[in-house]
PDB file of all heavy atoms in Angstrom:
ATOM      1  N   LYS Q 411     154.476  93.291-157.305  1.00  0.00           N
ATOM      2  CA  LYS Q 411     155.882  93.984-157.564  1.00  0.00           C
ATOM      3  C   LYS Q 411     155.713  95.173-158.487  1.00  0.00           C
ATOM      4  O   LYS Q 411     155.342  95.089-159.536  1.00  0.00           O
ATOM      5  CB  LYS Q 411     156.865  92.950-158.160  1.00  0.00           C
ATOM      6  CG  LYS Q 411     158.304  93.232-157.903  1.00  0.00           C
ATOM      7  CD  LYS Q 411     159.067  92.156-158.332  1.00  0.00           C
ATOM      8  CE  LYS Q 411     160.546  92.674-158.344  1.00  0.00           C
ATOM      9  NZ  LYS Q 411     161.405  91.775-159.226  1.00  0.00           N
ATOM     10  N   VAL Q 412     155.997  96.380-157.842  1.00  0.00           N
ATOM     11  CA  VAL Q 412     155.672  97.615-158.587  1.00  0.00           C
ATOM     12  C   VAL Q 412     156.911  98.455-158.676  1.00  0.00           C
ATOM     13  O   VAL Q 412     157.746  98.573-157.667  1.00  0.00           O
ATOM     14  CB  VAL Q 412     154.641  98.464-157.748  1.00  0.00           C
ATOM     15  CG1 VAL Q 412     154.451  99.766-158.438  1.00  0.00           C
ATOM     16  CG2 VAL Q 412     153.241  97.658-157.851  1.00  0.00           C
ATOM     17  N   ALA Q 413     157.119  99.140-159.761  1.00  0.00           N
ATOM     18  CA  ALA Q 413     158.120 100.148-159.871  1.00  0.00           C
ATOM     19  C   ALA Q 413     157.428 101.479-160.189  1.00  0.00           C
ATOM     20  O   ALA Q 413     156.523 101.529-160.959  1.00  0.00           O
ATOM     21  CB  ALA Q 413     159.027  99.793-161.103  1.00  0.00           C
ATOM     22  N   VAL Q 414     157.965 102.507-159.436  1.00  0.00           N
ATOM     23  CA  VAL Q 414     157.438 103.789-159.594  1.00  0.00           C
ATOM     24  C   VAL Q 414     158.593 104.618-160.237  1.00  0.00           C
ATOM     25  O   VAL Q 414     159.636 104.691-159.702  1.00  0.00           O
ATOM     26  CB  VAL Q 414     157.002 104.457-158.306  1.00  0.00           C
ATOM     27  CG1 VAL Q 414     156.487 105.796-158.459  1.00  0.00           C
ATOM     28  CG2 VAL Q 414     155.805 103.617-157.682  1.00  0.00           C
ATOM     29  N   ILE Q 415     158.347 105.320-161.299  1.00  0.00           N
ATOM     30  CA  ILE Q 415     159.312 106.131-162.008  1.00  0.00           C
ATOM     31  C   ILE Q 415     158.983 107.642-161.767  1.00  0.00           C
ATOM     32  O   ILE Q 415     157.892 108.099-162.126  1.00  0.00           O
ATOM     33  CB  ILE Q 415     159.422 105.900-163.492  1.00  0.00           C
ATOM     34  CG1 ILE Q 415     159.727 104.319-163.745  1.00  0.00           C
ATOM     35  CG2 ILE Q 415     160.386 106.794-164.210  1.00  0.00           C
ATOM     36  CD1 ILE Q 415     159.477 103.893-165.116  1.00  0.00           C
ATOM     37  N   ASP Q 434     155.325  95.214-153.114  1.00  0.00           N
ATOM     38  CA  ASP Q 434     156.608  95.646-152.945  1.00  0.00           C
ATOM     39  C   ASP Q 434     156.933  96.765-153.915  1.00  0.00           C
ATOM     40  O   ASP Q 434     156.798  96.584-155.114  1.00  0.00           O
ATOM     41  CB  ASP Q 434     157.655  94.550-153.143  1.00  0.00           C
ATOM     42  CG  ASP Q 434     157.755  93.556-152.072  1.00  0.00           C
ATOM     43  OD1 ASP Q 434     157.338  94.009-150.918  1.00  0.00           O
ATOM     44  OD2 ASP Q 434     157.945  92.433-152.279  1.00  0.00           O
ATOM     45  N   THR Q 436     159.440  99.714-155.703  1.00  0.00           N
ATOM     46  CA  THR Q 436     160.739 100.331-155.926  1.00  0.00           C
ATOM     47  C   THR Q 436     160.617 101.607-156.560  1.00  0.00           C
ATOM     48  O   THR Q 436     159.820 101.619-157.596  1.00  0.00           O
ATOM     49  CB  THR Q 436     161.587  99.311-156.883  1.00  0.00           C
ATOM     50  OG1 THR Q 436     161.589  97.963-156.218  1.00  0.00           O
ATOM     51  CG2 THR Q 436     162.931  99.877-157.018  1.00  0.00           C
ATOM     52  N   VAL Q 437     161.144 102.683-156.104  1.00  0.00           N
ATOM     53  CA  VAL Q 437     161.092 104.012-156.765  1.00  0.00           C
ATOM     54  C   VAL Q 437     162.341 104.243-157.539  1.00  0.00           C
ATOM     55  O   VAL Q 437     163.423 104.205-156.945  1.00  0.00           O
ATOM     56  CB  VAL Q 437     160.903 105.134-155.758  1.00  0.00           C
ATOM     57  CG1 VAL Q 437     160.770 106.399-156.403  1.00  0.00           C
ATOM     58  CG2 VAL Q 437     159.610 104.914-154.890  1.00  0.00           C
ATOM     59  N   LEU Q 438     162.214 104.472-158.875  1.00  0.00           N
ATOM     60  CA  LEU Q 438     163.322 104.687-159.721  1.00  0.00           C
ATOM     61  C   LEU Q 438     163.390 106.306-159.963  1.00  0.00           C
ATOM     62  O   LEU Q 438     162.431 106.780-160.529  1.00  0.00           O
ATOM     63  CB  LEU Q 438     163.320 103.943-161.045  1.00  0.00           C
ATOM     64  CG  LEU Q 438     163.302 102.435-160.979  1.00  0.00           C
ATOM     65  CD1 LEU Q 438     163.095 101.899-162.301  1.00  0.00           C
ATOM     66  CD2 LEU Q 438     164.667 101.861-160.344  1.00  0.00           C
ATOM     67  N   ILE Q 483     161.493  96.213-167.398  1.00  0.00           N
ATOM     68  CA  ILE Q 483     162.032  97.538-167.534  1.00  0.00           C
ATOM     69  C   ILE Q 483     163.672  97.414-167.590  1.00  0.00           C
ATOM     70  O   ILE Q 483     164.260  96.658-166.838  1.00  0.00           O
ATOM     71  CB  ILE Q 483     161.688  98.545-166.505  1.00  0.00           C
ATOM     72  CG1 ILE Q 483     162.270  99.886-166.839  1.00  0.00           C
ATOM     73  CG2 ILE Q 483     162.062  98.116-165.090  1.00  0.00           C
ATOM     74  CD1 ILE Q 483     161.546 101.006-166.041  1.00  0.00           C
ATOM     75  N   TYR Q 513     158.493  93.566-163.481  1.00  0.00           N
ATOM     76  CA  TYR Q 513     157.420  94.146-162.586  1.00  0.00           C
ATOM     77  C   TYR Q 513     156.063  93.818-162.995  1.00  0.00           C
ATOM     78  O   TYR Q 513     155.767  93.634-164.123  1.00  0.00           O
ATOM     79  CB  TYR Q 513     157.606  95.703-162.349  1.00  0.00           C
ATOM     80  CG  TYR Q 513     158.880  96.122-161.709  1.00  0.00           C
ATOM     81  CD1 TYR Q 513     160.004  96.596-162.514  1.00  0.00           C
ATOM     82  CD2 TYR Q 513     159.037  95.964-160.407  1.00  0.00           C
ATOM     83  CE1 TYR Q 513     161.144  96.913-161.885  1.00  0.00           C
ATOM     84  CE2 TYR Q 513     160.248  96.439-159.787  1.00  0.00           C
ATOM     85  CZ  TYR Q 513     161.256  96.849-160.582  1.00  0.00           C
ATOM     86  OH  TYR Q 513     162.407  97.202-160.011  1.00  0.00           O
ATOM     87  N   THR Q 515     153.616  95.923-162.282  1.00  0.00           N
ATOM     88  CA  THR Q 515     153.080  97.197-162.747  1.00  0.00           C
ATOM     89  C   THR Q 515     154.214  98.199-162.727  1.00  0.00           C
ATOM     90  O   THR Q 515     155.019  98.237-161.819  1.00  0.00           O
ATOM     91  CB  THR Q 515     151.995  97.768-161.814  1.00  0.00           C
ATOM     92  OG1 THR Q 515     151.066  96.750-161.698  1.00  0.00           O
ATOM     93  CG2 THR Q 515     151.417  99.042-162.332  1.00  0.00           C
ATOM     94  N   ILE Q 516     154.270  98.977-163.806  1.00  0.00           N
ATOM     95  CA  ILE Q 516     155.309 100.089-163.865  1.00  0.00           C
ATOM     96  C   ILE Q 516     154.505 101.393-163.795  1.00  0.00           C
ATOM     97  O   ILE Q 516     153.641 101.668-164.726  1.00  0.00           O
ATOM     98  CB  ILE Q 516     156.188 100.004-165.027  1.00  0.00           C
ATOM     99  CG1 ILE Q 516     156.991  98.690-164.941  1.00  0.00           C
ATOM    100  CG2 ILE Q 516     157.078 101.277-165.180  1.00  0.00           C
ATOM    101  CD1 ILE Q 516     157.848  98.419-166.163  1.00  0.00           C
ATOM    102  N   ILE Q 517     154.703 102.164-162.791  1.00  0.00           N
ATOM    103  CA  ILE Q 517     153.935 103.369-162.629  1.00  0.00           C
ATOM    104  C   ILE Q 517     154.710 104.563-162.999  1.00  0.00           C
ATOM    105  O   ILE Q 517     155.849 104.779-162.482  1.00  0.00           O
ATOM    106  CB  ILE Q 517     153.354 103.626-161.171  1.00  0.00           C
ATOM    107  CG1 ILE Q 517     152.499 102.384-160.774  1.00  0.00           C
ATOM    108  CG2 ILE Q 517     152.630 104.905-160.979  1.00  0.00           C
ATOM    109  CD1 ILE Q 517     152.128 102.437-159.237  1.00  0.00           C
ATOM    110  N   SER Q 518     154.254 105.317-164.004  1.00  0.00           N
ATOM    111  CA  SER Q 518     155.240 106.459-164.453  1.00  0.00           C
ATOM    112  C   SER Q 518     154.505 107.770-163.755  1.00  0.00           C
ATOM    113  O   SER Q 518     153.266 107.919-163.846  1.00  0.00           O
ATOM    114  CB  SER Q 518     155.145 106.565-165.914  1.00  0.00           C
ATOM    115  OG  SER Q 518     154.026 107.301-166.323  1.00  0.00           O
TER     116      SER Q 518
END
Side-chain angles (χ1 to χ4, degrees):
Chain Q
K411 203 173 164 201
V412 170
V414 177
I415 299 168
D434 282 333
T436 305
V437 178
L438 299 176
I483 184 164
Y513 291 102
T515 306
I516 295 169
I517 299 174
S518 86

